[in-house]
Amino acid sequence: MKKGILFLFLLAVPFLGTASHIVGGEFEILYLGNYRYKVNFIMYFDEINGDQANKTQDAIINARIFRTSDGATMINVPMPFVSQTLVNYTQPSCTYGGLKTSRQFYSTTITLAPELYGDPQGYYIAWERCCRNYNDSGLLNIYSVNPALEANNPFAAGQTFYLAFPPVTKNGSPFVNSSPRLFPPLSDYGCPDRLYYTDFRGTDDDGDSLVYSLTTPYSTHSSLAYPPILPAPYPEVKWRPPFSLSNVIGGVPDLTITQNGFLTVKPSFQGLFVFAVKVEEYRANVKIGETRRDFQMLVIDGCPRAIAPKILGKKLADAAYTYDNTMNVTFDNTVADGQRCIKVQVSDEDSKLSLDGSEKVSIKAIALNFNKDVSGVLPSVTNATLINESTVEFTICFPKCPYFIGGDPVIGIVAMDDACSLPLTDTLKVSIHIDPPPNNKPRFVVPAASPVTETLNQGDIKTWPYQVVDDDGDPLIISVLTNGFALANAGMTFTTLHQTNGAADGTLTWNAFCDLYDFTKRNSFQVTVQVEDQDQCLLPGPAKEIFNLNFHLPINNKPVIDTDLTSDPNERKVVGITRRINESINFKVTGKDADNDLIVMTGKAKDFTLSNYGISIAPVPVSGNGNVMEDFSWNIACTTVDLSKKDTFDFQFIVVDKGNICRVYQADTVDVQMKVLPPLNLAPQLTITNQNTPSTVLSNNIMSSLLGNSVQLLLTGTDGDVVPAKDNLKIQLIKQTGTVEPEGFSFAPVSGTSPIQTQFSWKPDCSIFVGGVYENEYSFTFLLTDDHCLVPKLDSVTIKLKIKDLDGSDTQFIPPNFFSPNGDNINDYFAMELKDEVTGELKNILPTDNCSSKFESVRIYDRWGNQVFQSAERNFKWDAKGKDAGVYFYFLKYTGKDYRGSVSLRY
């Protein structure tokens, strides 16, 4: 560590001020067994720049699990605070007062029941929390305003922590998975124009592949300190120009992360920057989960000047260090252990430029083209202090066994100094070819040739012996591999009978009994007996004996299904069948098997329930040897079918061969599609019969009547439908109109089965005439309806009625002008009557009474004005008894007019 420069650090970061809070974190979900999981949440907190009012950790966080397919909430996950620790610097001597991060740990245990967490699209856990640093004092690359100053501002950036995980069951079996974990924090600050690097990888307990990438950080749904936790999608933070996902901190080169999690950047200027890393979890090349990590990177100015160390290499026999950057070495298997080495030399110009003329350096070894810890090649002492341009030498020795077969491993010998905040490095890439010690591979003596190919029939039992030897007498590891099946499920057993160092023998046996083992899904099997020797280097090179085994399924005739709806014995689908409601359909379905095997036949509705529609298939199922039959019957009732909802009905009948010993699935099906039509319906008929006097005629539903006559109509409803029963009929008067609203008529609705009858009666009086109008027109509409299923019909009749007042005309009114009451029975009295010359009957000759004028009285006076007679009867008679002959005067009074005249009395 270069002394005397911390003062520069402290002066170089005036922008940090206050307002930082949570700087990053992530979830973990770890499998414990029996569907129990440990849920951890790691939160990183800025202890220096954090909002002091919020510096105390949350006592509990309340996360929530959602279902990915529809965003439904599954459970809330309260997680109590467990512990807090400080995050260490890579080089503790580079500690800087402006960067201090604590790791806060929360944890709980939950159960994810398989009946609730089996959705194929999986689930995710999330927690939303305010706040990030604010733009006036912190983050440079995203907008982040203070929500306390401006509520609901869209740039009030919060943080959503997110982890997606798979269902706990797949295809009916438990799916065990733990999320990635043990991710390192971002523990160091960066310096402008100096490479920043860190290994950001986590581990996966299940050995799943992890793929890393940068992503835009999530914000929150609201700017509240504790936003409501809502389902995805989550809003993203807003980048401040010119920053973006492809220009996260403005570095040259900018921030990047490799797919395997190595993070690098060369910052260009100081600042505080936010970024996010997405870690995708894959198993068998299928993505099963995702973790999002959110972090801040601090870049400070005033980092001390530093020059990277230099590492050179040479072989043991070389006089000088001539290898720079790369080096190739080869060791055959005769080289002694102490000679399988190289030497490296490390120098650093900073040893003469530092204040005290010294520089601390160290070395480490990393595998570059393979994945293995190679620190064992280093000497016991890997660090040194250089004084005034001195150098230090280290001896690097390699094992006698190669790291892998199939290529030369490359190891990087990395020289590091103590620059702040991260060591500067130089790497010597050493490609090593090592010939392993001599070794004879194991070999099969029996069978003599590979592969072994055999085909067995039902009931066969076959055993194949094997014998393997290793000429070096090495211990042997024997394993059996298959191409995706379990030996026991195919009736196979593998047995090792004898085994010693360098030799083993045993058998592979197959009991090909298809009544015990199901060969219908698979009848071809590959078994590989693999033997590996435990040689000195444990290098792979197994001997393999391959058995290609096949089962011959016996021939079995397919059953045949048929209906009597068509003449085609091989029908597959029967269409065009129609029936109407109130009709029935009956047909037979037969199943036959030429092998006379046990067959089972069933019938079913494809998308509805048979009993809901009164459909019968009997018997269901039906079984027998070689020949079976089912009867289909459906009386299509109106009460069970609603054609507005469903008018097409699909049925499927299937016959399955259940009797063949090898359970080869043999079946035949026939589909029957039936369309149900509305029922036929004869229209009802409504007839109206005139029951008035012959003088009142009903013609073409038109009738004229004089006031005083009674209107009598007989209404009769008939209907010809009798299947499945007579329709219920109803006669109603549905409309009545007129010059004056008709009143006083009599009509009663009637219902019943055909025939039904009811009457209409009306005898109107003068009250029907108003306004001096004495002729009215009326209309009466009668409706006959039936209740036939789905397609009711009707008939209606409208009667037009004209009612006129009686004719009160007086044009023919000529009163008599004399009478002679002399007892001769001729004109013996005075009356308004006249004898009919044809019939001889006496008829009243007064004008007819009607609604405009009606007879009220008659008065008769003598010539002196004395009233001699009075009557209110239209058929009055004055016999003038006791009156003298002479002229008398009469006065006839009507409501509408008066008549005056004289009559002579003679004896």
Side-chain angles (χ1 to χ4, degrees):
M1 177 68 186
K2 316 309 186 283
K3 308 299 181 182
I5 56 175
L6 281 180
F7 177 72
L8 294 176
F9 286 2
L10 297 174
L11 293 178
V13 287
F15 58 87
L16 289 178
T18 62
S20 171
H21 186 189
I22 301 170
V23 300
E26 68 269 348
F27 280 107
E28 298 173 348
I29 296 183
L30 309 178
Y31 182 69
L32 300 178
N34 197 28
Y35 299 108
R36 295 178 66 251
Y37 292 80
K38 188 176 187 64
V39 184
N40 299 330
F41 176 66
I42 297 95
M43 181 166 61
Y44 296 97
F45 191 91
D46 188 345
E47 295 287 339
I48 300 299
N49 306 295
D51 184 348
Q52 298 304 306
N54 293 309
K55 185 174 180 180
T56 302
Q57 72 277 352
D58 295 313
I60 192 170
I61 72 161
N62 289 289
R64 182 170 293 173
I65 292 178
F66 299 94
R67 187 166 52 216
T68 303
S69 60
D70 57 4
T73 297
M74 302 302 295
I75 54 170
N76 292 324
V77 185
M79 303 173 64
F81 172 78
V82 176
S83 63
Q84 175 172 313
T85 57
L86 287 178
V87 174
N88 294 323
Y89 284 74
T90 300
Q91 299 204 127
S93 60
C94 293
T95 300
Y96 158 57
L99 178 63
K100 183 179 180 182
T101 305
S102 64
R103 178 183 186 271
Q104 298 178 358
F105 183 72
Y106 298 79
S107 185
T108 191
T109 299
I110 62 174
T111 298
L112 302 180
E115 63 271 17
L116 297 177
Y117 290 88
D119 191 285
Q121 295 187 42
Y123 304 83
Y124 60 92
I125 185 170
W127 184 53
E128 300 184 45
R129 182 68 162 95
C130 165
C131 299
R132 299 180 186 271
N133 295 76
Y134 306 132
N135 286 137
D136 58 354
S137 59
L139 298 174
L140 294 185
N141 60 342
I142 68 167
Y143 289 105
S144 179
V145 302
N146 188 341
L149 302 178
E150 191 174 351
N152 297 321
N153 189 298
F155 297 136
Q159 299 183 67
T160 295
F161 301 92
Y162 173 94
L163 181 145
F165 59 94
V168 300
T169 61
K170 284 189 177 182
N171 301 319
S173 299
F175 188 79
V176 175
N177 182 68
S178 292
S179 69
R181 64 188 185 103
L182 300 178
F183 292 105
L186 199 69
S187 56
D188 302 296
Y189 52 84
C191 301
D193 301 319
R194 186 175 296 177
L195 183 66
Y196 184 97
Y197 57 90
T198 185
D199 188 347
F200 225 42
R201 291 178 296 178
T203 62
D204 190 279
D205 295 340
D206 308 303
D208 296 326
S209 298
L210 304 181
V211 178
Y212 296 78
S213 62
L214 294 178
T215 187
T216 300
Y218 279 155
S219 186
T220 51
H221 282 100
S222 80
S223 59
L224 298 173
Y226 293 93
I229 306 172
L230 302 177
Y234 295 103
E236 295 179 338
V237 299
K238 307 296 182 182
W239 295 101
R240 290 166 59 94
F243 299 101
S244 67
L245 186 57
S246 60
N247 184 33
V248 177
I249 71 171
V252 182
D254 196 51
L255 185 71
T256 60
I257 191 168
T258 63
Q259 284 195 352
N260 61 359
F262 196 73
L263 190 77
T264 58
V265 65
K266 192 173 185 180
S268 298
F269 44 83
Q270 66 176 357
L272 189 60
F273 306 91
V274 67
F275 69 95
V277 171
K278 178 169 61 176
V279 186
E280 297 172 288
E281 182 182 11
Y282 287 84
R283 184 176 299 178
N285 296 321
V286 176
K287 181 177 176 179
I288 62 172
E290 176 181 314
T291 301
R292 293 179 69 100
R293 306 192 67 210
D294 215 305
F295 252 96
Q296 289 179 180
M297 176 179 288
L298 173 63
V299 180
I300 67 171
D301 207 353
C303 294
R305 174 185 175 276
I307 300 174
K310 185 68 176 178
I311 185 169
L312 299 173
K314 73 169 186 173
K315 299 176 182 177
L316 293 183
D318 293 343
Y321 288 95
T322 58
Y323 292 99
D324 188 5
N325 296 323
T326 61
M327 182 176 183
N328 297 316
V329 292
T330 299
F331 302 102
D332 62 35
N333 54 26
T334 63
V335 176
D337 287 347
Q339 298 299 308
R340 203 179 303 107
C341 305
I342 65 170
K343 284 185 174 291
V344 296
Q345 180 189 78
V346 178
S347 61
D348 194 319
E349 291 186 32
D350 284 334
S351 64
K352 71 175 180 178
L353 299 176
S354 63
L355 296 179
D356 59 0
S358 67
E359 178 75 1
K360 292 180 180 179
V361 294
S362 60
I363 60 171
K364 67 177 181 179
I366 57 175
L368 296 180
N369 64 342
F370 60 104
N371 186 15
K372 186 172 289 188
D373 180 10
V374 294
S375 59
V377 304
L378 299 175
S380 58
V381 176
T382 58
N383 55 75
T385 300
L386 303 181
I387 305 296
N388 293 325
E389 296 187 89
S390 65
T391 62
V392 62
E393 293 181 344
F394 298 98
T395 299
I396 311 298
C397 293
F398 303 103
K400 62 182 175 182
C401 294
Y403 289 102
F404 58 86
I405 298 298
D408 292 335
V410 179
I411 295 177
I413 308 301
V414 183
M416 302 178 293
D417 64 11
D418 62 348
C420 290
S421 66
L422 293 170
L424 298 181
T425 65
D426 187 27
T427 301
L428 176 66
K429 299 176 182 178
V430 183
S431 177
I432 313 114
H433 179 84
I434 299 176
D435 290 329
N439 178 58
N440 291 300
K441 294 183 179 181
R443 55 189 173 84
F444 279 91
V445 178
V446 177
S450 181
V452 175
T453 301
E454 293 270 1
T455 298
L456 271 63
N457 296 310
Q458 149 62 19
D460 289 347
I461 302 175
K462 184 69 180 284
T463 296
W464 296 270
Y466 78 89
Q467 182 179 357
V468 64
V469 296
D470 184 89
D471 295 333
D472 299 321
D474 292 332
L476 301 177
I477 298 175
I478 302 172
S479 56
V480 180
L481 309 176
T482 70
N483 59 340
F485 71 97
L487 290 178
N489 292 343
M492 299 182 187
T493 56
F494 179 82
T495 304
T496 296
L497 300 175
H498 309 94
Q499 183 174 356
T500 61
N501 288 347
D505 63 77
T507 58
L508 172 65
T509 301
W510 189 11
N511 297 329
F513 299 151
C514 61
D515 55 341
L516 299 179
Y517 308 104
D518 187 359
F519 298 118
T520 62
K521 298 182 178 64
R522 180 178 194 148
N523 60 1
S524 179
F525 308 91
Q526 185 177 87
V527 179
T528 301
V529 180
Q530 178 173 289
V531 181
E532 181 69 84
D533 66 340
Q534 293 182 280
D535 60 275
Q536 188 176 6
C537 290
L538 298 179
L539 294 176
K544 296 182 180 181
E545 185 67 45
I546 298 175
F547 296 84
N548 292 323
L549 307 179
N550 301 287
F551 181 83
H552 181 260
L553 289 167
I555 296 175
N556 180 55
N557 289 302
K558 180 180 178 181
V560 177
I561 196 169
D562 185 33
T563 74
D564 61 2
L565 291 169
T566 74
S567 59
D568 182 4
N570 298 310
E571 60 194 0
R572 177 62 187 84
K573 187 169 186 178
V574 180
V575 296
I577 305 298
T578 61
R579 291 293 188 278
R580 294 186 180 276
I581 289 181
N582 297 327
E583 295 180 346
S584 63
I585 182 171
N586 299 277
F587 60 88
K588 295 183 182 297
V589 185
T590 57
K592 297 181 180 180
D593 186 89
D595 301 319
N596 205 37
D597 288 337
L598 175 67
I599 55 176
V600 177
M601 187 166 65
T602 57
K604 66 177 182 178
K606 279 196 172 181
D607 59 353
F608 61 95
T609 302
L610 292 170
S611 59
N612 291 346
Y613 293 87
I615 300 171
S616 171
I617 301 177
V620 177
V622 59
S623 61
N625 282 20
N627 200 320
V628 293
M629 184 175 66
E630 286 181 333
D631 288 312
F632 179 95
S633 177
W634 187 13
N635 294 319
I636 309 173
C638 182
T639 55
T640 58
V641 179
D642 185 350
L643 296 185
S644 65
K645 296 180 180 178
K646 185 175 183 63
D647 64 354
T648 301
F649 297 82
D650 291 287
F651 306 89
Q652 185 176 78
F653 299 87
I654 182 169
V655 60
V656 180
D657 184 348
K658 292 288 188 179
N660 65 87
I661 190 172
C662 286
R663 295 179 291 176
V664 177
Y665 184 79
Q666 294 280 40
D668 191 20
T669 61
V670 62
D671 293 335
V672 176
Q673 185 179 86
M674 183 186 309
K675 187 174 180 64
V676 177
L677 304 176
L680 295 175
N681 183 22
L682 297 172
Q685 292 186 337
L686 176 64
T687 58
I688 299 181
T689 305
N690 181 14
Q691 292 188 316
N692 300 305
T693 59
S695 60
T696 303
V697 178
L698 176 64
S699 177
N700 295 325
N701 297 327
I702 299 175
M703 175 184 290
S704 296
S705 180
L706 294 175
L707 190 73
N709 290 336
S710 177
V711 179
Q712 298 285 341
L713 301 175
L714 176 65
L715 292 87
T716 302
T718 59
D719 187 277
D721 292 309
V722 295
V723 176
K726 285 187 174 183
D727 292 340
N728 192 57
L729 306 179
K730 187 174 185 179
I731 301 176
Q732 304 171 79
L733 173 62
I734 61 170
K735 186 178 181 181
Q736 61 271 354
T737 60
T739 307
V740 177
E741 184 71 21
E743 296 179 349
F745 59 83
S746 173
F747 174 80
V750 64
S751 61
T753 58
S754 177
I756 59 172
Q757 290 185 326
T758 187
Q759 284 192 325
F760 176 88
S761 301
W762 192 20
K763 189 172 183 180
D765 56 26
C766 289
S767 64
I768 70 171
F769 299 126
V770 295
V773 177
Y774 296 96
E775 182 174 326
N776 288 356
E777 293 184 352
Y778 296 93
S779 174
F780 296 88
T781 300
F782 300 92
L783 178 68
L784 172 65
T785 58
D786 66 18
D787 66 345
H788 204 76
C789 169
L790 297 181
V791 286
K793 291 188 176 181
L794 55 85
D795 189 18
S796 65
V797 177
T798 298
I799 300 296
K800 295 186 179 299
L801 177 62
K802 182 182 291 186
I803 299 179
K804 298 173 61 176
D805 199 1
L806 297 173
D807 185 4
S809 173
D810 57 4
T811 57
Q812 303 298 321
F813 177 43
I814 302 175
N817 55 12
F818 78 95
F819 70 103
S820 57
N822 53 12
D824 60 0
N825 293 326
I826 299 174
N827 290 335
D828 284 343
Y829 53 86
F830 176 63
M832 295 297 167
E833 60 185 19
L834 182 68
K835 180 181 288 186
D836 189 300
E837 294 180 355
V838 178
T839 64
E841 295 180 358
L842 293 175
K843 294 183 178 180
N844 193 296
I845 61 172
L846 282 173
T848 303
D849 285 347
N850 62 19
C851 295
S852 62
S853 184
K854 181 183 293 186
F855 175 83
E856 289 187 344
S857 64
V858 58
R859 295 192 301 276
I860 301 176
Y861 298 89
D862 61 17
R863 63 178 181 268
W864 294 282
N866 298 316
Q867 180 175 306
V868 296
F869 179 78
Q870 179 180 356
S871 176
E873 299 294 329
R874 281 179 59 86
N875 295 323
F876 68 88
K877 293 180 180 181
W878 181 40
D879 57 9
K881 289 182 179 181
K883 300 299 180 184
D884 296 331
V887 177
Y888 288 83
F889 302 93
Y890 61 84
F891 179 77
L892 298 172
K893 182 173 179 57
Y894 274 72
T895 56
K897 63 186 299 185
D898 296 334
Y899 295 94
R900 292 176 174 83
S902 63
V903 61
S904 296
L905 173 60
R906 302 175 187 175
Y907 285 100

